Amino acid sequence: MKYLKLIRANLFRNKRRTVLTMCSVAAALFLFVTLRSVLTTLDDAKEVGSETRMVTRSAISIVFALPEAYYQWLQTVPGVDNVTWASWFGGVYRDPKDFFATFAVDAETYLPMYPEINVPAQQREAFLAERTAAIVGSGLMERFGWSLNQTISLRSSIYSPSEEWPFTIRAVYEPTNPSFGDENFFFHYDYLYEKSQYAQPGWYIMLLSDPAAAASVAETIDEHYKNSRAATRTETERAFQTGFITMYGNIGFLLNAIGMAVFFAILFVAANTMMMSARERVNEQAVLKTLGFSDGLLFALVMTEAAVITVVGGVLGVATAKLLFGLTGFQGAGFLPGFEIKWSTAVVGLVIAVFLGLISGFVPAWQALRLPISQTLRRVA
Amino acid sequence: MALLEVRNLSKVYNRDSQQIPVFEDIDLSIESGEFLALMGPSGSGKTTLLNLIAGLDTPTTGEIVVGGENIAAMSRRQLAAWRSRHVGFIFQLYNLLPVLTAYQNVELPLLLTSLNKRERRDHVTTALGVVGLTDRADHFPRQLSGGQEQRVGIARAIVSDPTLILADEPTGDLDATSADEILTLLQRLNEEYLKTIVMVTHDQRAADRGHAVMHLDKGVLTR
């Protein structure tokens, strides 16, 4: 404690440099915890998939649709209790940046298979009774300031992009599982088919009577359509979610690579700052040694200074991310449902901040430890 | 027995493959309470000898015995602890930490002791009082004149009541008036507080303030 004054005085010897370095670390840690939270959110999203639900999609890619005729046959597969389907609509509200997850579903069969879509009975009935009706997540309602029974217009990035699609919001759902997300938009497949004429199911979802039958069900379906015009790939919903999330490539690798690049960039910034700061005061370090400060004590003081800079920066960056995303309810336009900076991620960020301090402070601290007193004083004099 | 005994002391610097001897087989004895001025031309090794006595450097051969302890045989760690207890060093360029106030600069050596905050405050106030700078305790070095800075440097050197006060050309960077004030202060420390002082100087008038003058020239130390 008695050395605090000395540490504080050295930290604020060049206020602008210290504050800018802290801000650099804060920005880096903000980015790091954000990227890591994207990964944890995507991992959580995989867990949303039910063990008793399976998905059949095109063997080539999820962007290719499947024939409607598959619906009849899939119902006959042993082990399958119910079948439904959905299609990706690519809905946009007003502006391309107002993009969110929009699904055309066969409502009669879809809703019973997804208890996660928690809707009051009266609203469910209203939705089922109207072809242009929509079920909207509460988060999306709040994001755009919509209200129940309001009619809104969307455009599709897939189906006649210039055409307006009017929808009436007849139901608002609260997800029973936060990872399901509250920024999804569901409407009737019949409406899509009626307006576009060329709509087809994007994927089929099967409810199994026994999760243990998943492997045999997948094998039966894919074998059946193996030589057809639209070969299939059947997998558990969890595996499907993973595929859906990674359709843009290996997101995990990409985000980790960016995270590592950020870490090393800021490591060099912090190390450079500490080196400059230490180099400016080799004479003072020699004076302190003359007064009796030991090598080990000087080493500890320099390391502490470095750690204080990176930890303060780290706390700023992590706290800003936690508050900002917490208050704004950011969900990545519906692609990152349940996005949050978890406490475990915040702790990892702070541990990295400590490591940054220790690594960046090591070289100048070691130089202070090895500093020859008489040569240094003579050189400076 | 003398407070400081230097026996057969030699110092050789190694530069690349060259060996540069500074001095060889020097003997020196200083009694407690003595004020010794060490003179000699530039490059004669005065500062090197002072640094060796202060434990800032290690001799090539020989012994430096202070109060019965041979500091030439000590490790870096032991030397650091020894310096904090026994040496008060006064630099030519004052060497105050610019980010600390006069009070905080004087307090530095006491941070290495077990004194509590209140005891440290008493010691610092006393030391600043001795050098006549109590009213400048909260000033930073840049707010002080050269003479005042050196007085703070002297307060820092005496605050832990060391065995030896070693001064390396303490008036070398001062005008005549300030130099005279500093020398008077050193003389007072020696006479009133019975401090043992070794002072390196080029200035004969400064050397005349001491009890004895020794000359180091071409590796030979003479009285």
Side-chain angles (χ1 to χ4, degrees):
Chain A
M1 286 297 280
K2 58 187 173 182
Y3 298 110
L4 274 181
K5 259 188 276 186
L6 185 57
I7 292 169
R8 194 177 58 202
N10 279 327
L11 278 173
F12 290 102
R13 161 188 305 265
N14 187 333
K15 284 193 190 80
R16 189 180 305 165
R17 184 172 60 197
T18 302
V19 169
L20 285 176
T21 308
M22 283 176 175
C23 288
S24 306
V25 175
L29 265 293
F30 177 89
L31 191 56
F32 180 85
V33 294
T34 304
L35 292 176
R36 192 174 168 82
S37 296
V38 170
L39 286 178
T40 56
T41 305
L42 293 179
D43 280 343
D44 288 349
K46 292 176 196 170
E47 304 302 316
V48 175
S50 161
E51 285 186 0
T52 56
R53 288 196 297 250
M54 292 195 78
V55 175
T56 294
R57 63 173 173 90
S58 165
I60 302 167
S61 167
I62 196 170
V63 300
F64 292 100
L66 294 173
E68 281 186 10
Y70 285 14
Y71 176 66
Q72 299 297 334
W73 185 81
L74 287 172
Q75 286 179 305
T76 67
V77 175
V80 172
D81 274 2
N82 282 308
V83 181
T84 188
W85 72 88
S87 283
W88 180 254
F89 179 68
V92 173
Y93 179 59
R94 294 182 309 209
D95 193 83
K97 69 177 169 50
D98 296 331
F99 177 79
F100 45 87
T102 325
F103 302 97
V105 300
D106 180 48
E108 295 282 358
T109 53
Y110 193 88
L111 291 180
M113 280 174 61
Y114 280 90
E116 291 94 333
I117 303 172
N118 183 26
V119 181
Q122 204 176 349
Q123 292 183 19
R124 176 187 285 247
E125 292 307 316
F127 168 69
L128 291 173
E130 188 175 336
R131 181 167 286 220
T132 58
I135 297 181
V136 182
S138 56
L140 203 57
M141 296 289 287
E142 195 180 324
R143 180 174 155 197
F144 292 119
W146 292 337
S147 56
L148 194 63
N149 299 320
Q150 181 181 347
T151 299
I152 56 154
S153 281
L154 300 187
R155 267 176 292 146
S156 169
S157 58
I158 300 169
Y159 302 98
S160 310
S162 59
E163 195 175 344
E164 293 284 343
W165 293 64
F167 294 97
T168 306
I169 302 166
R170 293 296 182 201
V172 177
Y173 78 88
E174 285 289 348
T176 54
N177 179 347
S179 295
F180 186 83
D182 61 3
E183 290 205 355
N184 294 317
F185 187 104
F186 300 96
F187 67 96
H188 293 282
Y189 176 83
D190 289 349
Y191 182 40
L192 174 68
Y193 186 80
E194 178 188 289
K195 280 201 74 167
S196 75
Q197 297 298 318
Y198 61 91
Q200 283 184 303
W203 59 91
Y204 288 98
I205 303 119
M206 282 83 59
L207 187 66
L208 305 184
S209 50
D210 178 11
S216 67
V217 167
E219 193 180 345
T220 304
I221 296 170
D222 292 344
E223 189 62 31
H224 182 74
Y225 292 116
K226 190 175 179 182
N227 295 316
S228 71
R229 193 167 55 84
T232 60
R233 179 170 171 185
T234 304
E235 56 204 349
T236 60
E237 193 178 54
R238 191 165 293 178
F240 173 76
Q241 293 282 7
T242 308
F244 196 80
I245 286 160
T246 58
M247 68 180 168
Y248 294 112
N250 192 339
I251 291 176
F253 173 78
L254 190 68
L255 295 186
N256 275 323
I258 296 171
M260 288 301 285
V262 168
F263 175 82
F264 279 106
I266 204 62
L267 175 64
F268 291 131
V269 169
N272 186 46
T273 302
M274 286 310 299
M275 293 283 281
M276 283 169 64
S277 172
R279 195 162 47 236
E280 278 170 10
R281 49 194 164 103
V282 284
N283 183 54
E284 289 173 31
Q285 289 171 341
V287 170
L288 289 174
K289 283 193 172 189
T290 303
L291 300 181
F293 280 61
S294 67
D295 297 340
L297 178 56
L298 270 183
F299 181 88
L301 289 173
V302 176
M303 289 294 273
T304 307
E305 271 179 49
V308 167
I309 288 177
T310 57
V311 169
V312 170
V315 168
L316 272 175
V318 171
T320 304
K322 182 94 183 147
L323 285 173
L324 185 71
F325 293 125
L327 292 175
T328 59
F330 173 81
Q331 294 198 4
F335 279 98
L336 297 169
F339 180 90
E340 64 164 339
I341 309 292
K342 293 184 174 177
W343 284 113
S344 58
T345 302
V347 169
V348 169
L350 293 179
V351 168
I352 282 177
V354 173
F355 268 107
L356 270 174
L358 296 181
I359 297 170
S360 63
F362 183 78
V363 172
W366 182 256
Q367 285 173 339
L369 183 146
R370 302 300 306 162
L371 191 76
I373 306 172
S374 56
Q375 283 99 311
T376 306
L377 290 174
R378 192 180 300 127
R379 195 167 55 228
V380 175
Chain B
M1 187 181 167
L3 174 70
L4 169 68
E5 287 271 2
V6 172
R7 299 174 196 140
N8 305 318
L9 195 70
S10 299
K11 181 65 184 177
V12 178
Y13 283 118
N14 292 307
R15 287 219 180 108
D16 302 322
S17 57
Q18 269 192 314
Q19 289 203 322
I20 303 165
V22 184
F23 45 71
E24 282 179 62
D25 292 331
I26 278 185
D27 292 312
L28 173 66
S29 178
I30 300 174
E31 298 296 327
S32 180
E34 197 173 334
F35 185 172
L36 175 74
L38 189 57
M39 297 190 76
S42 294
S44 60
K46 307 181 299 291
T47 296
T48 300
L49 178 58
L50 195 73
N51 286 345
L52 289 170
I53 293 170
L56 303 180
D57 205 350
T58 49
T60 308
T61 58
E63 287 182 348
I64 303 165
V65 181
V66 182
E69 286 184 283
N70 180 13
I71 66 166
M74 288 182 182
S75 66
R76 282 168 70 101
R77 189 177 180 167
Q78 288 170 320
L79 271 176
W82 177 83
R83 280 196 301 272
S84 72
R85 288 194 308 272
H86 297 291
V87 175
F89 205 97
I90 302 166
F91 301 91
Q92 179 184 351
L93 296 174
Y94 334 129
N95 280 331
L96 302 179
L97 268 62
V99 290
L100 300 180
T101 62
Y103 179 97
Q104 290 166 336
N105 266 287
V106 176
E107 191 187 20
L108 280 172
L110 300 179
L111 297 179
L112 303 167
T113 66
S114 57
L115 297 177
N116 62 34
K117 194 174 177 180
R118 190 177 163 186
E119 291 167 330
R120 291 202 302 271
R121 190 182 60 209
D122 291 344
H123 279 67
V124 173
T125 307
T126 304
L128 283 171
V130 169
V131 300
L133 282 178
T134 311
D135 57 334
R136 298 297 178 112
D138 294 329
H139 286 62
F140 286 93
R142 64 176 179 278
Q143 298 166 319
L144 301 171
S145 68
Q148 287 169 332
E149 279 196 75
Q150 190 60 294
R151 277 150 70 189
V152 174
I154 292 171
R156 182 177 65 184
I158 61 171
V159 73
S160 56
D161 194 21
T163 313
L164 273 173
I165 292 177
L166 305 174
D168 188 5
E169 301 198 39
T171 58
D173 204 47
L174 297 174
D175 60 68
T177 311
S178 299
D180 196 54
E181 284 174 10
I182 294 300
L183 290 169
T184 303
L185 181 57
L186 288 174
Q187 211 168 7
R188 209 178 120 221
L189 288 174
N190 172 250
E191 289 167 3
E192 283 183 32
Y193 299 93
L194 305 175
K195 290 289 163 196
T196 308
I197 300 173
V198 179
M199 176 177 69
V200 164
T201 183
H202 275 112
D203 183 357
Q204 186 60 52
R205 283 177 304 174
D208 290 343
R209 299 289 191 112
H211 298 153
V213 180
M214 294 197 82
H215 291 269
L216 182 61
D217 193 7
K218 293 173 184 164
V220 180
L221 187 64
T222 52
R223 279 206 185 247

